[in-house]
Structure formats: structure tokens, C-alpha cells
Amino acid sequence: MKQSPTLVLTAAVLSLAALGCRPDLTVNVDARSAYQDEEDVRGTVFANVENVGSAAAAGTASAGASGYMVDLVLSTDGTVPVAFATVPSPYVFQDDMLLVGGRISNTVDLAAGASHNYDGHGGKLPPGTPTGSYLCAVVDPNNVIAESDETNNTSCVQFKVVP
């Protein structure tokens, strides 16, 4: 009986984890320093995810819900929880909210030492976004990847809102 690639990858990851080898996902976010009120940020926000650990990290393209995702979050202080963020209804600024279109749910597997740049995600800034806000990226917000370091999964950049 032939095993699926996902099953083989999952078994390999579990075997390495038993030996103390684990992935460690980090993220760096880059964006412009200023946006206009309610501007569409797609194409100007880049999230680079790197696996600095010693084992592979599964992405959703191969592992489905067992793979990591990335959330783009708006914050007033640059401190965001490592948890799924939500888009408020109505769509107005709230601290630690998910940017509409800001869940990167189609992610690639990352071998130890590998990285991948995600761009073209996000949408319009919500009304009421204060100047001096932060655009943050959170890797593995659903905490499905057992990492060697769970404290380095966020990155933020501050931006201004101009009329």
C-alpha cells in the first residue's frame, strides 16, 4: 500500500520530534512607513517566514489544517497575541484585529534553515486606524507546529496614517 506524501512527512516530523529535533518558525514583516486612511495595502506588505529550527515545518499546502498559517494583524502597541485574530464586524479599527484578507492560509513546507516570502496579502485598512499603529505578522497563530521556541512568532512594523 502506497503512503501519501503528507503521511510520510508527518511520520518523519514526529520521529524527529521524539529525538529532540523541532522546527522553529520566525517571521519578519515589512511594509511602507505611511498609508492613506482606508488604503489597500496589498502588494506593500511582505511577511518572510523562516524555519530556524532543526526539523521541517509543514505548511498547509501539504498538511492541511496541521500546517502553519500566518496572520496579518493591526495593533496599537506592537504586542499581539499568538492566536487566531478576527476581523471585527462592522469593519472598523480594533486593537489586535486581523486585517481583512490578512490570513495567509496557503503556506509551503519549510525545511530546517529554509525561508519563504509571502506577499500580496491583506486588504483595505479599516476606518479609524490611528496613526502610529503597527502592522504585525504572526506565524503559526493556531499553534499547530510544536516548535523549539514558541516565543519568537511575531514581528511588527510601525506606520503612519496620512489623510
Side-chain angles (χ1 to χ4, degrees):
M1 176 180 205
K2 186 175 179 182
Q3 293 182 337
S4 75
T6 301
L7 183 59
V8 172
L9 176 63
T10 302
V13 168
L14 290 174
S15 296
L16 289 171
L19 296 173
C21 298
R22 291 193 174 182
D24 183 12
L25 296 173
T26 63
V27 63
N28 286 304
V29 65
D30 191 22
R32 291 195 331 236
S33 60
Y35 290 98
Q36 291 188 345
D37 192 30
E38 299 184 49
E39 182 177 346
D40 191 332
V41 302
R42 270 181 296 216
T44 67
V45 176
F46 305 92
N48 184 274
V49 177
E50 184 175 6
N51 180 2
V52 298
S54 56
T60 58
S62 70
S66 296
Y68 73 90
M69 295 183 195
V70 181
D71 275 0
L72 299 176
V73 178
L74 295 172
S75 169
T76 58
D77 60 7
T79 302
V80 293
V82 179
F84 272 139
T86 58
V87 175
S89 180
Y91 188 58
V92 294
F93 182 86
Q94 290 181 6
D95 195 27
D96 301 335
M97 66 175 280
L98 182 67
L99 180 64
V100 70
R103 176 150 301 135
I104 304 169
S105 58
N106 185 15
T107 57
V108 301
D109 294 344
L110 289 175
S115 65
H116 186 81
N117 194 49
Y118 295 96
D119 61 2
H121 296 276
K124 224 166 73 164
L125 291 175
T129 301
T131 195
S133 291
Y134 292 82
L135 183 67
C136 303
V138 180
V139 65
D140 196 27
N142 48 341
N143 202 27
V144 297
I145 304 294
E147 299 177 65
S148 58
D149 183 353
E150 296 284 359
T151 65
N152 59 358
N153 290 36
T154 64
S155 172
C156 299
V157 293
Q158 194 171 28
F159 66 95
K160 294 178 183 176
V161 177
V162 295

Coordinates of all heavy atoms in Angstrom, one line a residue, residues 55-153:
A55 N 14.3 20.8 12.3 CA 13.5 19.9 11.6 C 12.5 20.6 10.7 O 12.3 21.8 10.9 CB 12.7 19.0 12.7
A56 N 11.9 20.0 9.8 CA 11.0 20.6 8.8 C 9.7 21.0 9.5 O 9.3 20.5 10.5 CB 10.6 19.6 7.7
A57 N 9.1 22.1 9.0 CA 7.8 22.6 9.4 C 6.8 22.4 8.3 O 7.1 22.9 7.2 CB 7.8 24.0 9.9
A58 N 5.7 21.8 8.5 CA 4.7 21.5 7.5 C 3.8 22.8 7.2 O 3.4 23.4 8.2 CB 3.8 20.3 7.9
G59 N 3.6 23.1 6.0 CA 2.7 24.1 5.6 C 1.3 23.5 5.3 O 1.2 22.3 5.2
T60 N 0.4 24.4 5.1 CA -1.0 23.9 4.8 C -1.2 23.3 3.4 O -2.1 22.5 3.2 CB -2.0 25.0 5.0 OG1 -1.7 26.1 4.1 CG2 -2.0 25.6 6.4
A61 N -0.3 23.6 2.5 CA -0.4 23.1 1.1 C -0.2 21.6 1.1 O -0.9 20.9 0.3 CB 0.7 23.7 0.2
S62 N 0.6 21.0 2.1 CA 0.8 19.6 2.1 C 0.1 19.0 3.3 O -0.4 17.8 3.3 CB 2.3 19.2 2.2 OG 2.8 19.6 3.5
A63 N -0.1 19.7 4.4 CA -0.6 19.1 5.7 C -2.0 19.6 6.0 O -2.5 19.2 7.1 CB 0.4 19.4 6.8
G64 N -2.6 20.5 5.2 CA -3.9 21.0 5.5 C -3.9 21.7 6.9 O -3.1 22.5 7.1
A65 N -4.9 21.4 7.7 CA -5.1 22.1 9.0 C -4.0 21.8 9.9 O -3.8 22.5 11.0 CB -6.4 21.7 9.6
S66 N -3.1 20.9 9.7 CA -2.0 20.6 10.5 C -0.7 21.4 10.2 O 0.3 21.2 10.8 CB -1.6 19.1 10.4 OG -2.7 18.3 10.9
G67 N -0.9 22.3 9.2 CA 0.3 23.1 8.8 C 0.1 24.5 9.3 O -0.9 24.9 9.8
Y68 N 1.2 25.3 9.3 CA 1.2 26.6 9.9 C 0.5 27.6 8.9 O 0.4 27.4 7.7 CB 2.7 27.1 10.1 CG 3.5 27.4 8.9 CD1 3.5 28.7 8.4 CD2 4.2 26.4 8.2 CE1 4.2 29.0 7.2 CE2 4.9 26.7 7.1 CZ 4.9 28.0 6.6 OH 5.6 28.3 5.4
M69 N 0.0 28.7 9.5 CA -0.5 29.8 8.8 C 0.2 31.1 9.2 O 1.0 31.0 10.2 CB -2.1 29.9 9.0 CG -2.9 28.8 8.5 SD -4.6 29.1 8.8 CE -5.3 27.4 8.5
V70 N -0.2 32.2 8.6 CA 0.4 33.5 9.0 C -0.8 34.5 9.1 O -1.6 34.5 8.1 CB 1.4 34.0 8.1 CG1 2.0 35.4 8.5 CG2 2.6 33.0 7.9
D71 N -0.9 35.2 10.1 CA -2.0 36.3 10.2 C -1.3 37.7 10.2 O -0.2 37.9 10.8 CB -2.7 36.2 11.6 CG -3.9 35.2 11.6 OD1 -4.1 34.6 10.5 OD2 -4.5 35.1 12.6
L72 N -1.9 38.6 9.4 CA -1.5 40.0 9.4 C -2.5 40.8 10.3 O -3.7 40.8 10.1 CB -1.5 40.6 8.0 CG -0.6 39.9 7.0 CD1 -0.8 40.4 5.6 CD2 0.8 39.9 7.4
V73 N -1.9 41.4 11.4 CA -2.7 41.9 12.5 C -2.3 43.4 12.7 O -1.2 43.8 12.5 CB -2.4 41.1 13.8 CG1 -3.1 41.7 15.0 CG2 -2.7 39.7 13.6
L74 N -3.4 44.2 13.0 CA -3.2 45.6 13.3 C -3.2 45.8 14.8 O -4.0 45.2 15.5 CB -4.3 46.5 12.6 CG -4.3 46.5 11.1 CD1 -5.6 47.2 10.6 CD2 -3.1 47.1 10.6
S75 N -2.2 46.6 15.3 CA -2.1 46.7 16.7 C -1.7 48.2 17.0 O -1.1 48.9 16.2 CB -0.9 45.8 17.2 OG -0.5 46.1 18.5
T76 N -2.1 48.6 18.3 CA -1.7 50.0 18.7 C -0.4 50.0 19.4 O 0.2 51.1 19.5 CB -2.8 50.5 19.7 OG1 -2.9 49.6 20.8 CG2 -4.1 50.7 19.0
D77 N 0.1 48.8 19.9 CA 1.3 48.9 20.7 C 2.4 47.9 20.2 O 3.5 47.8 20.8 CB 1.0 48.6 22.1 CG 0.4 47.2 22.3 OD1 0.2 46.4 21.4 OD2 0.0 47.0 23.5
G78 N 2.2 47.1 19.1 CA 3.2 46.2 18.6 C 3.3 44.9 19.4 O 4.3 44.2 19.2
T79 N 2.4 44.7 20.3 CA 2.4 43.5 21.1 C 1.1 42.8 20.8 O 0.0 43.3 21.1 CB 2.4 43.7 22.6 OG1 3.6 44.5 22.9 CG2 2.5 42.5 23.4
V80 N 1.2 41.6 20.1 CA 0.0 40.9 19.7 C 0.0 39.5 20.2 O 1.1 38.9 20.3 CB -0.1 40.9 18.1 CG1 -0.4 42.3 17.6 CG2 1.1 40.3 17.5
P81 N -1.1 38.9 20.5 CA -1.2 37.5 21.0 C -0.9 36.5 19.8 O -1.2 36.8 18.7 CB -2.6 37.4 21.5 CG -3.4 38.4 20.8 CD -2.5 39.6 20.5
V82 N -0.3 35.4 20.2 CA -0.1 34.3 19.2 C -1.4 33.5 19.3 O -1.5 32.5 20.1 CB 1.1 33.5 19.5 CG1 1.3 32.4 18.5 CG2 2.4 34.4 19.5
A83 N -2.4 33.9 18.5 CA -3.7 33.3 18.5 C -4.4 33.8 17.2 O -4.0 34.8 16.6 CB -4.5 33.6 19.7
F84 N -5.4 33.0 16.7 CA -6.1 33.5 15.5 C -6.7 34.8 15.8 O -7.4 35.0 16.8 CB -7.2 32.5 15.1 CG -6.7 31.4 14.2 CD1 -7.2 30.1 14.4 CD2 -5.9 31.7 13.1 CE1 -6.8 29.1 13.5 CE2 -5.5 30.7 12.3 CZ -6.0 29.4 12.5
A85 N -6.4 35.8 15.0 CA -7.1 37.1 15.1 C -8.4 37.1 14.3 O -8.6 36.2 13.5 CB -6.1 38.2 14.5
T86 N -9.3 38.0 14.6 CA -10.5 38.1 13.9 C -10.7 39.5 13.2 O -10.2 40.4 13.7 CB -11.7 37.8 14.8 OG1 -11.7 38.7 15.9 CG2 -11.6 36.4 15.4
V87 N -11.6 39.5 12.2 CA -12.0 40.7 11.6 C -13.3 41.2 12.2 O -14.2 40.4 12.3 CB -12.2 40.5 10.1 CG1 -12.8 41.7 9.4 CG2 -11.0 40.0 9.4
P88 N -13.3 42.4 12.8 CA -14.5 42.8 13.5 C -15.6 43.2 12.5 O -15.4 43.5 11.4 CB -14.0 44.1 14.3 CG -12.9 44.6 13.5 CD -12.2 43.4 12.8
S89 N -16.8 43.1 13.0 CA -18.0 43.5 12.3 C -18.8 44.5 13.1 O -19.2 44.1 14.2 CB -18.9 42.3 11.9 OG -20.0 42.7 11.2
P90 N -18.9 45.7 12.7 CA -18.5 46.3 11.4 C -17.0 46.4 11.3 O -16.3 46.4 12.3 CB -19.2 47.6 11.4 CG -19.4 48.0 12.8 CD -19.6 46.7 13.5
Y91 N -16.5 46.6 10.1 CA -15.1 46.6 9.8 C -14.6 48.0 10.2 O -14.5 48.9 9.4 CB -14.8 46.3 8.4 CG -13.3 46.1 8.1 CD1 -12.5 45.2 8.8 CD2 -12.7 46.9 7.1 CE1 -11.2 45.1 8.5 CE2 -11.3 46.8 6.8 CZ -10.6 45.9 7.5 OH -9.2 45.7 7.3
V92 N -14.2 48.2 11.5 CA -13.6 49.4 12.0 C -12.4 49.0 12.9 O -12.4 47.9 13.4 CB -14.6 50.3 12.8 CG1 -15.7 50.9 11.9 CG2 -15.2 49.5 14.0
F93 N -11.5 49.9 13.0 CA -10.2 49.5 13.8 C -10.5 49.1 15.2 O -11.3 49.7 15.9 CB -9.3 50.7 13.8 CG -8.0 50.3 14.5 CD1 -6.9 49.7 13.8 CD2 -7.8 50.5 15.9 CE1 -5.8 49.4 14.5 CE2 -6.7 50.2 16.5 CZ -5.6 49.6 15.8
Q94 N -9.9 47.9 15.5 CA -9.9 47.4 16.9 C -8.5 46.9 17.1 O -7.8 46.4 16.2 CB -10.9 46.3 17.1 CG -12.3 46.7 17.1 CD -13.2 45.5 17.4 OE1 -12.8 44.4 17.7 NE2 -14.5 45.8 17.2
D95 N -7.9 47.1 18.3 CA -6.6 46.6 18.6 C -6.5 45.1 18.4 O -7.4 44.4 18.8 CB -6.2 47.0 20.1 CG -4.8 46.9 20.4 OD1 -3.9 47.0 19.4 OD2 -4.4 46.7 21.5
D96 N -5.4 44.7 17.9 CA -5.1 43.3 17.6 C -6.1 42.6 16.7 O -6.4 41.4 16.9 CB -4.9 42.5 19.0 CG -3.8 43.1 19.8 OD1 -2.9 43.7 19.3 OD2 -3.9 42.9 21.1
M97 N -6.6 43.3 15.7 CA -7.6 42.7 14.8 C -6.9 42.2 13.6 O -5.8 42.6 13.2 CB -8.6 43.8 14.3 CG -7.9 45.0 13.5 SD -9.1 46.1 12.9 CE -9.7 45.2 11.5
L98 N -7.5 41.2 12.9 CA -7.0 40.7 11.7 C -7.3 41.7 10.5 O -8.4 42.2 10.5 CB -7.7 39.3 11.4 CG -7.2 38.6 10.1 CD1 -5.8 38.2 10.2 CD2 -8.2 37.4 9.8
L99 N -6.3 42.0 9.8 CA -6.5 42.8 8.6 C -7.4 42.0 7.6 O -7.1 40.8 7.4 CB -5.2 43.2 7.9 CG -5.2 44.0 6.7 CD1 -5.7 45.4 7.0 CD2 -3.8 44.1 6.2
V100 N -8.4 42.6 7.0 CA -9.3 41.9 6.1 C -8.4 41.3 5.0 O -7.5 42.0 4.5 CB -10.4 42.8 5.6 CG1 -9.9 43.8 4.6 CG2 -11.5 41.9 4.9
G101 N -8.5 40.1 4.7 CA -7.6 39.4 3.7 C -6.3 39.1 4.2 O -5.4 38.8 3.5
G102 N -6.1 39.2 5.5 CA -4.8 39.1 6.1 C -4.4 37.7 6.7 O -3.4 37.6 7.4
R103 N -5.2 36.7 6.4 CA -4.8 35.3 6.8 C -4.2 34.6 5.7 O -4.8 34.4 4.6 CB -6.0 34.5 7.3 CG -5.6 33.1 7.7 CD -6.5 32.5 8.8 NE -6.3 33.3 10.0 CZ -7.4 33.6 10.8 NH1 -8.6 33.2 10.5 NH2 -7.2 34.3 11.9
I104 N -2.9 34.3 5.8 CA -2.2 33.5 4.8 C -2.4 32.1 5.1 O -1.7 31.5 6.0 CB -0.7 34.0 4.7 CG1 -0.6 35.5 4.5 CG2 0.0 33.2 3.6 CD1 0.8 36.1 4.7
S105 N -3.3 31.4 4.4 CA -3.6 30.1 4.7 C -3.1 29.0 3.7 O -3.3 27.8 3.9 CB -5.2 29.9 4.9 OG -5.8 30.3 3.7
N106 N -2.5 29.5 2.7 CA -1.9 28.5 1.7 C -0.3 28.7 1.9 O 0.3 29.5 1.2 CB -2.3 28.8 0.3 CG -1.8 27.8 -0.7 OD1 -1.3 26.8 -0.3 ND2 -1.9 28.2 -1.9
T107 N 0.2 27.9 2.8 CA 1.7 28.0 3.1 C 2.4 26.8 2.7 O 1.9 25.7 2.5 CB 1.9 28.2 4.6 OG1 1.3 27.1 5.3 CG2 1.2 29.5 5.1
V108 N 3.7 27.0 2.4 CA 4.6 25.9 1.9 C 5.3 25.2 3.1 O 5.5 25.8 4.1 CB 5.6 26.4 0.9 CG1 4.9 27.0 -0.3 CG2 6.6 27.4 1.5
D109 N 5.8 24.0 2.9 CA 6.7 23.3 3.8 C 8.0 24.0 3.9 O 8.5 24.5 2.8 CB 6.9 21.9 3.4 CG 5.7 21.0 3.4 OD1 4.7 21.4 4.0 OD2 5.7 19.9 2.8
L110 N 8.6 24.1 5.1 CA 9.9 24.7 5.2 C 10.8 23.7 5.9 O 10.6 23.3 7.0 CB 9.8 26.0 6.1 CG 9.1 27.2 5.5 CD1 9.0 28.3 6.5 CD2 9.9 27.7 4.2
A111 N 11.9 23.4 5.1 CA 12.9 22.5 5.7 C 13.7 23.4 6.7 O 13.6 24.6 6.7 CB 13.9 22.1 4.6
A112 N 14.5 22.7 7.6 CA 15.3 23.4 8.5 C 16.2 24.4 7.8 O 16.8 24.0 6.8 CB 16.1 22.4 9.3
G113 N 16.3 25.6 8.2 CA 17.1 26.6 7.5 C 16.5 27.3 6.3 O 17.0 28.2 5.8
A114 N 15.3 26.9 5.9 CA 14.6 27.4 4.7 C 13.7 28.6 5.1 O 13.3 28.7 6.2 CB 13.8 26.4 4.0
S115 N 13.4 29.5 4.1 CA 12.5 30.6 4.3 C 11.6 30.8 3.1 O 12.0 30.3 2.0 CB 13.3 31.9 4.6 OG 14.0 32.3 3.5
H116 N 10.6 31.5 3.3 CA 9.6 31.8 2.1 C 9.0 33.1 2.4 O 8.6 33.5 3.5 CB 8.5 30.7 2.1 CG 7.7 30.9 0.9 ND1 8.0 30.4 -0.4 CD2 6.5 31.4 0.7 CE1 7.1 30.7 -1.3 NE2 6.1 31.3 -0.6
N117 N 8.9 33.9 1.3 CA 8.4 35.3 1.4 C 6.9 35.2 0.9 O 6.6 34.7 -0.2 CB 9.2 36.2 0.5 CG 8.8 37.7 0.8 OD1 8.8 38.1 2.0 ND2 8.6 38.4 -0.2
Y118 N 6.0 35.7 1.7 CA 4.6 35.8 1.3 C 4.3 37.3 1.1 O 4.5 38.1 1.9 CB 3.7 35.3 2.4 CG 3.9 33.8 2.7 CD1 4.8 33.3 3.7 CD2 3.3 32.8 1.9 CE1 5.0 32.0 3.9 CE2 3.5 31.5 2.1 CZ 4.3 31.1 3.1 OH 4.5 29.7 3.3
D119 N 3.7 37.6 -0.1 CA 3.3 39.0 -0.4 C 2.0 39.0 -1.1 O 1.5 37.9 -1.4 CB 4.4 39.7 -1.2 CG 4.7 39.1 -2.5 OD1 4.0 38.1 -2.9 OD2 5.5 39.6 -3.2
G120 N 1.4 40.2 -1.3 CA 0.2 40.3 -2.0 C -1.0 40.0 -1.1 O -2.2 39.8 -1.6
H121 N -0.9 39.9 0.2 CA -2.0 39.6 1.1 C -2.4 40.9 1.8 O -1.7 41.9 1.8 CB -1.6 38.6 2.1 CG -1.2 37.3 1.5 ND1 -2.2 36.3 1.2 CD2 -0.1 36.7 1.1 CE1 -1.6 35.3 0.6 NE2 -0.3 35.5 0.5
G122 N -3.6 40.8 2.4 CA -4.2 42.0 3.1 C -5.2 42.6 2.2 O -5.5 42.2 1.1
G123 N -5.7 43.7 2.7 CA -6.7 44.5 2.0 C -6.7 45.9 2.5 O -5.7 46.4 2.9
K124 N -7.9 46.5 2.5 CA -8.0 47.9 2.9 C -7.9 48.1 4.4 O -8.4 47.3 5.2 CB -9.4 48.4 2.5 CG -9.5 49.7 1.9 CD -10.7 50.0 1.2 CE -11.9 50.3 2.2 NZ -13.0 50.9 1.6
L125 N -7.1 49.1 4.8 CA -7.1 49.5 6.3 C -8.5 49.8 6.7 O -9.2 50.5 6.0 CB -6.1 50.6 6.5 CG -4.6 50.4 6.3 CD1 -3.9 51.7 6.4 CD2 -4.1 49.3 7.3
P126 N -8.9 49.5 7.9 CA -10.2 49.8 8.4 C -10.3 51.3 8.7 O -9.3 51.9 9.1 CB -10.4 48.9 9.6 CG -9.0 48.7 10.1 CD -8.1 48.7 8.9
P127 N -11.5 51.8 8.7 CA -11.7 53.2 9.1 C -11.3 53.3 10.6 O -11.5 52.4 11.4 CB -13.2 53.4 9.0 CG -13.7 52.3 8.0 CD -12.8 51.2 8.2
G128 N -10.8 54.4 11.0 CA -10.4 54.7 12.3 C -9.0 54.2 12.7 O -8.7 54.2 13.9
T129 N -8.2 53.7 11.8 CA -6.9 53.2 12.1 C -6.1 54.4 12.6 O -5.9 55.3 11.8 CB -6.2 52.5 10.9 OG1 -7.0 51.4 10.4 CG2 -4.8 52.0 11.2
P130 N -5.6 54.4 13.8 CA -4.8 55.5 14.3 C -3.4 55.6 13.7 O -2.8 54.6 13.4 CB -4.8 55.3 15.8 CG -5.1 53.9 16.0 CD -5.8 53.4 14.8
T131 N -2.9 56.8 13.5 CA -1.5 57.0 13.1 C -0.6 56.4 14.2 O -1.0 56.5 15.4 CB -1.2 58.4 12.7 OG1 0.0 58.5 12.0 CG2 -1.1 59.3 14.0
G132 N 0.5 55.9 13.8 CA 1.4 55.2 14.8 C 1.0 53.8 15.1 O 1.5 53.2 16.0
S133 N 0.1 53.2 14.3 CA -0.3 51.8 14.5 C 0.8 50.9 14.0 O 1.7 51.4 13.4 CB -1.6 51.5 13.8 OG -2.7 52.2 14.4
Y134 N 0.7 49.7 14.3 CA 1.6 48.7 13.9 C 0.9 47.6 13.0 O -0.2 47.3 13.3 CB 2.2 47.9 15.1 CG 3.1 48.8 16.0 CD1 2.5 49.6 16.9 CD2 4.5 48.7 15.9 CE1 3.3 50.4 17.8 CE2 5.3 49.5 16.7 CZ 4.7 50.3 17.6 OH 5.5 51.1 18.4
L135 N 1.7 47.2 12.0 CA 1.2 46.1 11.2 C 2.1 44.9 11.6 O 3.3 45.0 11.6 CB 1.4 46.4 9.7 CG 0.9 45.3 8.8 CD1 -0.6 45.1 8.9 CD2 1.3 45.5 7.4
C136 N 1.5 43.9 12.1 CA 2.2 42.7 12.6 C 1.9 41.5 11.9 O 0.9 41.3 11.3 CB 1.8 42.5 14.1 SG 2.1 43.9 15.2
A137 N 2.9 40.6 11.8 CA 2.7 39.2 11.3 C 2.9 38.2 12.4 O 3.8 38.4 13.3 CB 3.7 38.9 10.2
V138 N 2.0 37.3 12.5 CA 2.0 36.2 13.5 C 2.1 34.9 12.7 O 1.2 34.5 12.0 CB 0.8 36.2 14.4 CG1 0.8 35.1 15.4 CG2 0.6 37.6 15.0
V139 N 3.2 34.1 12.9 CA 3.3 32.8 12.3 C 2.8 31.8 13.2 O 3.1 31.9 14.4 CB 4.8 32.6 11.8 CG1 5.7 32.5 12.9 CG2 4.8 31.3 10.9
D140 N 2.1 30.8 12.7 CA 1.5 29.7 13.4 C 0.6 30.2 14.5 O 0.7 29.8 15.7 CB 2.6 28.8 14.0 CG 2.1 27.4 14.5 OD1 1.1 27.0 13.9 OD2 2.7 26.8 15.4
P141 N -0.3 31.1 14.2 CA -1.3 31.6 15.2 C -2.2 30.5 15.8 O -2.6 30.7 16.9 CB -2.1 32.7 14.5 CG -2.1 32.2 13.1 CD -0.7 31.6 12.9
N142 N -2.4 29.4 15.1 CA -3.2 28.4 15.5 C -2.4 27.3 16.4 O -2.9 26.4 16.8 CB -3.9 27.7 14.4 CG -3.0 27.3 13.2 OD1 -1.9 27.9 13.1 ND2 -3.5 26.4 12.4
N143 N -1.1 27.6 16.5 CA -0.2 26.8 17.4 C -0.3 25.3 17.1 O -0.4 24.5 18.0 CB -0.5 27.1 18.8 CG 0.7 26.7 19.7 OD1 1.8 26.7 19.3 ND2 0.4 26.4 21.0
V144 N -0.2 24.9 15.8 CA -0.2 23.5 15.4 C 1.2 22.9 15.2 O 1.3 21.7 15.1 CB -1.1 23.3 14.1 CG1 -2.5 23.6 14.4 CG2 -0.5 24.0 12.9
I145 N 2.2 23.8 15.1 CA 3.6 23.3 14.9 C 4.2 23.3 16.3 O 4.3 24.4 16.9 CB 4.4 24.2 13.9 CG1 3.7 24.3 12.6 CG2 5.8 23.7 13.8 CD1 3.6 23.0 11.8
A146 N 4.7 22.2 16.8 CA 5.5 22.1 18.0 C 6.9 22.6 17.8 O 7.6 21.9 17.1 CB 5.5 20.6 18.5
E147 N 7.2 23.8 18.3 CA 8.5 24.4 18.0 C 9.4 24.3 19.1 O 9.0 24.2 20.3 CB 8.2 25.9 17.6 CG 7.3 26.1 16.4 CD 7.1 27.5 16.1 OE1 8.0 28.2 15.8 OE2 5.9 27.9 16.2
S148 N 10.7 24.5 18.8 CA 11.7 24.5 19.9 C 11.6 25.8 20.7 O 12.0 25.9 21.8 CB 13.1 24.3 19.3 OG 13.4 25.3 18.3
D149 N 11.1 26.9 20.0 CA 10.9 28.2 20.7 C 9.6 28.8 20.3 O 9.4 29.1 19.1 CB 12.1 29.1 20.3 CG 12.0 30.5 21.1 OD1 11.0 30.7 21.8 OD2 13.0 31.3 20.9
E150 N 8.7 28.8 21.2 CA 7.3 29.4 20.9 C 7.2 30.9 21.2 O 6.1 31.4 21.1 CB 6.3 28.6 21.7 CG 6.2 27.1 21.4 CD 5.5 26.8 20.1 OE1 5.0 27.7 19.4 OE2 5.4 25.6 19.8
T151 N 8.3 31.5 21.5 CA 8.2 32.9 21.9 C 8.7 33.9 20.8 O 8.7 35.1 21.0 CB 9.1 33.2 23.1 OG1 10.5 33.0 22.8 CG2 8.7 32.3 24.3
N152 N 9.0 33.4 19.6 CA 9.5 34.3 18.6 C 8.7 34.3 17.3 O 9.2 34.3 16.2 CB 11.0 33.9 18.2 CG 11.1 32.4 17.8 OD1 10.1 31.7 17.7 ND2 12.3 32.0 17.4
N153 N 7.3 34.2 17.5 CA 6.4 34.0 16.3 C 5.8 35.3 15.8 O 4.8 35.3 15.1 CB 5.4 33.0 16.7 CG 5.9 31.6 16.8 OD1 7.0 31.4 17.3 ND2 5.2 30.6 16.4

